[in-house]
Amino acid sequence: MVQVTPSPPTVTPAEQASRPYGDRYARLSDADRRTFAEQGFLLIRGALDEPLRNRVEQAVDRVHAGERRAGRLGPNGGMHVLGAVFRDETLTELLDLPATFPCVWGQLGWNIYVHHSHIDVNPPVTRDEPPAWRWHQDGYRQNADLDMEPRPMFSLKVAYVLSDLSEPGRGGTLVLPGSQYSNTLERTEQGPDGHYARPPGTVEISAEPGDAFVFDRRLWHSRSPNLSAVTRKMVFLCYTYRWIRWRDDVAINRHGDWWRQMSPLRRQLLGDADEAASHFGFTLESGVWDDAIPLRAELKARGLLDRSHHYLR
């Protein structure tokens, strides 16, 4: 394997922190676009105001309590559940959150949906938890079935931080800035204590409750061990193109009040389509772009389609 040697960040994580966007249809700023392209991630301070952060955390706690009753938690009460946006109505508020959504469609375009979402609850590690190499790129077979370097981005994730991860040792996410353009990462050697050394250039994302970060699925990243007294709570939404299959097993009741009261945009982001061809962005009858796709319709009406970015044509 070829070792990734990321170039030094042009800005520090603190300097690259973005202000949250206030309009879900705001244009992605040139500075944020450049930072994302160079570093592979974008930190957005204060993406969740405190009332929303509190509601989302309560939703996470409800899901956690349900998993506890079902006996599906880890040995120390840890939880990793898929299909997060279907687990609690509150979490659908994150689908098109104005603070972060411009960073999604601004990088992927309008033919998108959330094919994967998860909730992570990571209490402090127990003494007998074995060391593990957790560095990875997202995408599973996308990283094996495509013979090219670098591989396409295909998807990005928005990670919402609910706990105070502002200090090292609280299970913060580790990233290698700029590594999204390298297909491989060489595993580091284990030390005398059995733990793996961090790859050179590793940055631990320092985040306050309510912060969010958006990252390219190809960015090499890892969860770090939680050595503190704080329980790490996070929600992740992964956006991809509508012609890519679901990652999570979900069942949608399109006849219930929850679905009927959803906005057309949110229904799109939850996988809705009038016909199979719509997933490819066109109508079968016309063979041209489908202006009825909610996000495309909104962007077109606002003059935000942009041929200089191929995914916004």
Side-chain angles (χ1 to χ4, degrees), residues 172-194:
T173 302
L174 308 176
V175 298
L176 278 173
S179 64
Q180 70 272 21
Y181 300 116
S182 296
N183 285 357
T184 57
L185 174 65
E186 185 174 342
R187 185 173 300 200
T188 57
E189 297 293 331
Q190 288 181 289
D193 59 358

Short mmCIF file of all heavy atoms in Angstrom, two decimals, residues 172-194:
data_model
loop_
_atom_site.label_atom_id
_atom_site.label_comp_id
_atom_site.label_asym_id
_atom_site.label_seq_id
_atom_site.Cartn_x
_atom_site.Cartn_y
_atom_site.Cartn_z
N GLY A 172 -13.21 12.56 19.87
CA GLY A 172 -13.34 13.40 18.69
C GLY A 172 -12.91 12.69 17.41
O GLY A 172 -12.14 11.72 17.44
N THR A 173 -13.42 13.16 16.29
CA THR A 173 -13.09 12.57 15.00
C THR A 173 -11.70 13.01 14.56
O THR A 173 -11.37 14.20 14.62
CB THR A 173 -14.13 12.98 13.94
OG1 THR A 173 -15.43 12.55 14.38
CG2 THR A 173 -13.82 12.35 12.59
N LEU A 174 -10.91 12.04 14.13
CA LEU A 174 -9.57 12.31 13.61
C LEU A 174 -9.65 12.33 12.09
O LEU A 174 -10.31 11.48 11.47
CB LEU A 174 -8.59 11.23 14.05
CG LEU A 174 -8.52 10.92 15.55
CD1 LEU A 174 -7.56 9.75 15.79
CD2 LEU A 174 -8.07 12.15 16.33
N VAL A 175 -8.96 13.28 11.47
CA VAL A 175 -8.95 13.36 10.01
C VAL A 175 -7.53 13.63 9.53
O VAL A 175 -6.68 14.15 10.27
CB VAL A 175 -9.88 14.48 9.49
CG1 VAL A 175 -11.33 14.20 9.87
CG2 VAL A 175 -9.45 15.85 10.00
N LEU A 176 -7.28 13.26 8.28
CA LEU A 176 -6.03 13.59 7.60
C LEU A 176 -6.37 14.61 6.52
O LEU A 176 -6.83 14.24 5.43
CB LEU A 176 -5.40 12.35 6.97
CG LEU A 176 -4.58 11.45 7.89
CD1 LEU A 176 -4.18 10.18 7.15
CD2 LEU A 176 -3.34 12.18 8.37
N PRO A 177 -6.19 15.90 6.79
CA PRO A 177 -6.57 16.92 5.80
C PRO A 177 -5.88 16.68 4.45
O PRO A 177 -4.69 16.42 4.37
CB PRO A 177 -6.06 18.22 6.44
CG PRO A 177 -6.06 17.94 7.91
CD PRO A 177 -5.65 16.50 8.03
N GLY A 178 -6.67 16.76 3.40
CA GLY A 178 -6.16 16.58 2.06
C GLY A 178 -6.06 15.15 1.59
O GLY A 178 -5.75 14.89 0.42
N SER A 179 -6.34 14.18 2.45
CA SER A 179 -6.13 12.77 2.10
C SER A 179 -7.23 12.19 1.23
O SER A 179 -7.15 11.05 0.80
CB SER A 179 -6.00 11.93 3.38
OG SER A 179 -7.21 11.95 4.13
N GLN A 180 -8.25 12.99 0.91
CA GLN A 180 -9.35 12.49 0.07
C GLN A 180 -8.90 12.18 -1.35
O GLN A 180 -9.62 11.51 -2.10
CB GLN A 180 -10.51 13.50 0.05
CG GLN A 180 -10.24 14.79 -0.71
CD GLN A 180 -9.60 15.86 0.17
OE1 GLN A 180 -9.02 15.55 1.20
NE2 GLN A 180 -9.74 17.11 -0.24
N TYR A 181 -7.72 12.62 -1.72
CA TYR A 181 -7.23 12.38 -3.07
C TYR A 181 -6.30 11.17 -3.15
O TYR A 181 -5.69 10.91 -4.18
CB TYR A 181 -6.52 13.63 -3.60
CG TYR A 181 -7.42 14.84 -3.65
CD1 TYR A 181 -7.17 15.96 -2.86
CD2 TYR A 181 -8.56 14.84 -4.45
CE1 TYR A 181 -8.00 17.05 -2.89
CE2 TYR A 181 -9.41 15.93 -4.47
CZ TYR A 181 -9.12 17.05 -3.70
OH TYR A 181 -9.97 18.13 -3.72
N SER A 182 -6.17 10.42 -2.06
CA SER A 182 -5.34 9.23 -2.04
C SER A 182 -6.19 8.01 -1.72
O SER A 182 -6.96 8.02 -0.77
CB SER A 182 -4.22 9.37 -0.99
OG SER A 182 -3.35 10.43 -1.31
N ASN A 183 -6.03 6.96 -2.50
CA ASN A 183 -6.87 5.76 -2.34
C ASN A 183 -6.45 4.86 -1.19
O ASN A 183 -7.23 4.02 -0.75
CB ASN A 183 -6.86 4.93 -3.62
CG ASN A 183 -7.70 5.56 -4.73
OD1 ASN A 183 -8.35 6.58 -4.53
ND2 ASN A 183 -7.69 4.94 -5.90
N THR A 184 -5.22 4.99 -0.73
CA THR A 184 -4.72 4.06 0.29
C THR A 184 -4.08 4.81 1.45
O THR A 184 -3.66 5.96 1.33
CB THR A 184 -3.68 3.09 -0.31
OG1 THR A 184 -2.61 3.86 -0.89
CG2 THR A 184 -4.30 2.21 -1.37
N LEU A 185 -4.02 4.13 2.56
CA LEU A 185 -3.37 4.64 3.76
C LEU A 185 -2.64 3.49 4.43
O LEU A 185 -3.24 2.44 4.72
CB LEU A 185 -4.40 5.25 4.72
CG LEU A 185 -3.88 5.71 6.09
CD1 LEU A 185 -2.91 6.87 5.93
CD2 LEU A 185 -5.04 6.10 7.00
N GLU A 186 -1.36 3.65 4.66
CA GLU A 186 -0.58 2.60 5.29
C GLU A 186 -0.85 2.58 6.79
O GLU A 186 -0.81 3.61 7.46
CB GLU A 186 0.91 2.81 5.02
CG GLU A 186 1.79 1.69 5.55
CD GLU A 186 3.24 1.86 5.14
OE1 GLU A 186 3.51 2.63 4.20
OE2 GLU A 186 4.11 1.23 5.78
N ARG A 187 -1.09 1.39 7.31
CA ARG A 187 -1.34 1.25 8.74
C ARG A 187 -0.06 1.52 9.52
O ARG A 187 1.01 1.04 9.15
CB ARG A 187 -1.85 -0.16 9.05
CG ARG A 187 -2.25 -0.38 10.50
CD ARG A 187 -2.91 -1.73 10.71
NE ARG A 187 -4.12 -1.86 9.92
CZ ARG A 187 -5.09 -2.74 10.18
NH1 ARG A 187 -4.97 -3.57 11.21
NH2 ARG A 187 -6.17 -2.81 9.42
N THR A 188 -0.17 2.31 10.57
CA THR A 188 0.99 2.61 11.38
C THR A 188 1.32 1.43 12.30
O THR A 188 0.50 0.52 12.49
CB THR A 188 0.76 3.87 12.24
OG1 THR A 188 -0.41 3.67 13.05
CG2 THR A 188 0.55 5.08 11.35
N GLU A 189 2.49 1.46 12.89
CA GLU A 189 2.92 0.38 13.78
C GLU A 189 2.27 0.52 15.15
O GLU A 189 1.95 1.62 15.61
CB GLU A 189 4.44 0.41 13.94
CG GLU A 189 5.21 0.18 12.65
CD GLU A 189 5.03 -1.22 12.11
OE1 GLU A 189 4.80 -2.15 12.93
OE2 GLU A 189 5.10 -1.40 10.88
N GLN A 190 2.05 -0.62 15.79
CA GLN A 190 1.55 -0.61 17.16
C GLN A 190 2.70 -0.34 18.12
O GLN A 190 3.80 -0.85 17.96
CB GLN A 190 0.89 -1.94 17.50
CG GLN A 190 -0.44 -2.17 16.81
CD GLN A 190 -1.06 -3.49 17.19
OE1 GLN A 190 -0.57 -4.54 16.79
NE2 GLN A 190 -2.13 -3.45 17.98
N GLY A 191 2.41 0.47 19.15
CA GLY A 191 3.40 0.74 20.17
C GLY A 191 3.45 -0.37 21.21
O GLY A 191 2.71 -1.36 21.12
N PRO A 192 4.28 -0.23 22.22
CA PRO A 192 4.40 -1.24 23.27
C PRO A 192 3.08 -1.52 23.99
O PRO A 192 2.85 -2.63 24.48
CB PRO A 192 5.43 -0.64 24.24
CG PRO A 192 6.21 0.33 23.40
CD PRO A 192 5.25 0.88 22.40
N ASP A 193 2.21 -0.51 24.03
CA ASP A 193 0.91 -0.70 24.70
C ASP A 193 -0.15 -1.28 23.77
O ASP A 193 -1.30 -1.47 24.16
CB ASP A 193 0.41 0.63 25.27
CG ASP A 193 0.24 1.71 24.20
OD1 ASP A 193 0.55 1.44 23.02
OD2 ASP A 193 -0.20 2.83 24.54
N GLY A 194 0.25 -1.57 22.53
CA GLY A 194 -0.69 -2.15 21.58
C GLY A 194 -1.46 -1.14 20.76
O GLY A 194 -2.14 -1.50 19.80
#
